[in-house]
Amino acid sequence: MAIWEGLLFGMLLQLSVGPVCMAVWQRSIKDGMREALKMIVGVASVDAAYMIAAIGGLSLLLQIPLVKGVVLIGGAAILVWFGVSSLRSKPVEHTPERNSQTEKNGRGGFWYGVMLTLTNPLTILFWSGVFGSLMASHTLPDSMSLAGFVVGCLLSTFMFLTGIAVLGQWMSRFLNPLWINRLDKMVGVFLIGFAIILLQKGIMS
């Protein structure tokens, strides 16, 4: 039961399309399913770390307005950097050699997923809110129930993002290099726009 509840809670975060979802889609189209799956593992690893931190009391710290504001503004700044990098990406041919070139440039899927999720403030705020509420209300009475909930949340990440990666892989068959390069620009604009929204929330905090 706890796993099922965690799966449903996790889907709430996944269904609110954010920068991670867009980035997995982009990675699958440009670099193939293998790199996208590596990125998903990186995203899930950070999610797990945030959940453990929230259980350990980080949710209490993030209730302080100043701390929350710093997290939002810092995350927004880094998302702008990701967005600008995507806008400035050089036109490339969509060939099988892209995977090896991606790893040579230090932008392998796993570490890209780790960095993007690590710097997305909404992720940590979401999990902190969820686990803070659950622990305060004693909804999960024992450690086994808590562990099951965490597993369910992580399953939601794998399931949803893998579906997005499969969609991207399917779409890559119909996109020529021109449209793939335009995709980079679109994702870059999306990341910068998302960062501006976070910046406004951070200033208001």
Side-chain angles (χ1 to χ4, degrees), residues 67-107:
V67 175
K68 182 179 179 180
V70 170
V71 169
L72 287 169
I73 293 173
I78 298 176
L79 284 177
V80 167
W81 180 80
F82 276 113
V84 171
S85 297
S86 187
L87 286 173
R88 296 180 60 186
S89 62
K90 298 179 180 180
V92 293
E93 293 295 330
H94 187 55
T95 62
E97 287 75 20
R98 278 288 294 156
N99 284 338
S100 59
Q101 188 62 40
T102 298
E103 294 185 0
K104 287 179 182 178
N105 291 338
R107 296 180 289 111

Side-chain angles (χ1 to χ4, degrees), residues 98-173:
R98 278 288 294 156
N99 284 338
S100 59
Q101 188 62 40
T102 298
E103 294 185 0
K104 287 179 182 178
N105 291 338
R107 296 180 289 111
F110 176 80
W111 290 111
Y112 186 73
V114 167
M115 292 302 299
L116 188 59
T117 311
L118 197 64
T119 56
N120 181 9
L122 290 189
T123 303
I124 188 171
L125 292 175
F126 178 86
W127 292 127
S128 296
V130 169
F131 284 97
S133 299
L134 289 175
M135 296 179 71
S137 61
H138 303 286
T139 303
L140 301 174
D142 52 55
S143 58
M144 289 299 295
S145 297
L146 189 61
F149 189 86
V150 169
V151 170
C153 291
L154 293 176
L155 283 175
S156 72
T157 298
F158 278 108
M159 291 171 59
F160 184 82
L161 293 182
T162 299
I164 294 297
V166 170
L167 175 63
Q169 182 70 12
W170 176 77
M171 291 179 62
S172 66
R173 302 176 184 177

